[in-house]
Amino acid sequence: MAFQFIQGCQYGYKPVGENWDWDARVVLDKTLLVNSIFNFAGTFTPTKQLLYAQHNGYFAMSVYDDVYGYVHVVPNYINVGTVLADQIYSIEFWNANLTKHETLVSLGQTNTDGILFEGPLTYPYTFKPMESQNYRVVTVVGPPTINAIYSLNFSDYSVPIKIEGKRLVVFYWMPKNDFTETLEWLTDLIETYSDEQRIALRIAPRRNITYKYVEKPEYASQMQVFTNAWISRMFGVPVWVEATKITHVNSGVTTISFDTTN
């Protein structure tokens, strides 16, 4: 028999509409019997001609193509949330090329005030094949809104790293013990002729706490300057009434255990 493949079904190619276990017998069964030749011994030798069936194909990406041949930056988006103190995040750069060098030409920065990027100090920096480097992003004192972008500018493309979040300043002065606290519920009232129905519109009541302060003149000046500078921004005010007193803390400890039931 003579076989001819119009379009190969090699590794990486798959006939459209067929499974990977494509059976060629379906095509062979469509052949036509042309003639039969009998020899003197009386043996039968059939001769068949193939009816060729055209199968279009597409290139199937492998795991190798998904991983190698690129520069991986993990993570390239960081949401720091509400920042009360310095926070450190690690970012990994991996040149997933087996033979090719990748050159980091420069580092672009947009709205990066108060954020430190601990990476290459000089540019251009060349990543060797399969080289991996870990860098750090440190959030320090800066604007109240964090909306920073670091751009890793390589020779042919750029990879952005976006950092978002908010900075919060703690109003740390301790008030007097006498304070006022009010709770506000929000309820939808549906009245009928003989009864009424109440539907809660808040999962928990809104809590309002009013503190009173009596401080020395130097502390009062600090509070006034502090509030004037941050009046349009967000404060973090401790709920002092729920503070837990700790009797004794040893010097040099790195963790403090306390009850947070309430």
Side-chain angles (χ1 to χ4, degrees):
M1 298 181 185
F3 294 90
Q4 178 182 359
F5 289 95
I6 301 301
Q7 185 165 356
C9 190
Q10 301 174 354
Y11 296 108
Y13 288 85
K14 171 184 175 183
V16 174
E18 303 288 345
N19 297 323
W20 284 106
D21 53 349
W22 176 64
D23 192 357
R25 290 176 297 180
V26 179
V27 179
L28 297 178
D29 290 340
K30 297 179 181 180
T31 58
L32 295 178
L33 183 62
V34 178
N35 55 19
S36 301
I37 301 176
F38 292 87
N39 56 19
F40 293 100
T43 59
F44 174 72
T45 305
T47 302
K48 292 187 177 183
Q49 180 179 356
L50 293 178
L51 292 179
Y52 302 112
Q54 178 72 32
H55 291 275
N56 295 325
Y58 62 90
F59 185 74
M61 300 293 290
S62 64
V63 177
Y64 175 88
D65 299 310
D66 293 335
V67 176
Y68 297 98
Y70 309 97
V71 173
H72 296 268
V73 180
V74 181
N76 62 350
Y77 173 76
I78 300 175
N79 191 336
V80 299
T82 302
V83 179
L84 290 170
D86 294 349
Q87 297 186 15
I88 301 175
Y89 299 89
S90 296
I91 299 177
E92 181 182 3
F93 299 96
W94 178 31
N95 179 23
N97 288 284
L98 299 177
T99 58
K100 182 181 177 182
H101 291 72
E102 289 289 346
T103 302
L104 181 59
V105 179
S106 62
L107 180 67
Q109 302 183 37
T110 305
N111 300 328
T112 57
D113 296 338
I115 299 178
L116 300 179
F117 183 86
E118 299 180 354
L121 300 179
T122 58
Y123 300 96
Y125 180 84
T126 302
F127 286 89
K128 299 178 181 179
M130 300 302 293
E131 179 181 356
S132 177
Q133 294 284 352
N134 288 324
Y135 301 110
R136 300 195 310 170
V137 173
V138 183
T139 58
V140 295
V141 178
T145 301
I146 301 175
N147 187 18
I149 298 178
Y150 282 97
S151 299
L152 305 176
N153 301 320
F154 290 87
S155 302
D156 302 326
Y157 54 89
S158 179
V159 178
I161 301 176
K162 189 174 182 61
I163 306 172
E164 292 182 336
K166 295 181 179 180
R167 289 185 175 91
L168 185 145
V169 173
V170 178
F171 198 86
Y172 58 87
W173 289 277
M174 184 176 294
K176 296 176 63 177
N177 291 330
D178 53 335
F179 65 95
T180 59
E181 178 182 8
T182 59
L183 301 176
E184 295 181 0
W185 285 266
L186 184 60
T187 304
D188 190 6
L189 181 61
I190 302 176
E191 295 183 353
T192 63
Y193 288 104
S194 60
D195 203 349
E196 67 180 19
Q197 181 181 4
R198 296 178 179 267
I199 302 175
L201 302 181
R202 289 178 183 163
I203 299 176
R206 180 176 296 172
R207 188 179 186 186
N208 299 317
I209 301 177
T210 303
Y211 289 138
K212 296 179 181 180
Y213 292 86
V214 177
E215 299 289 350
K216 295 180 180 180
E218 57 269 24
Y219 294 131
S221 299
Q222 293 179 5
M223 295 171 63
Q224 185 176 1
V225 173
F226 180 77
T227 52
N228 290 337
W230 205 266
I231 189 63
S232 61
R233 303 171 183 175
M234 186 179 299
F235 288 94
V237 182
V239 183
W240 293 101
V241 67
E242 297 180 358
T244 301
K245 293 184 179 180
I246 302 176
T247 57
H248 179 71
V249 177
N250 295 325
S251 177
V253 298
T254 58
T255 59
I256 300 175
S257 300
F258 55 91
D259 187 13
T260 59
T261 302
N262 296 319

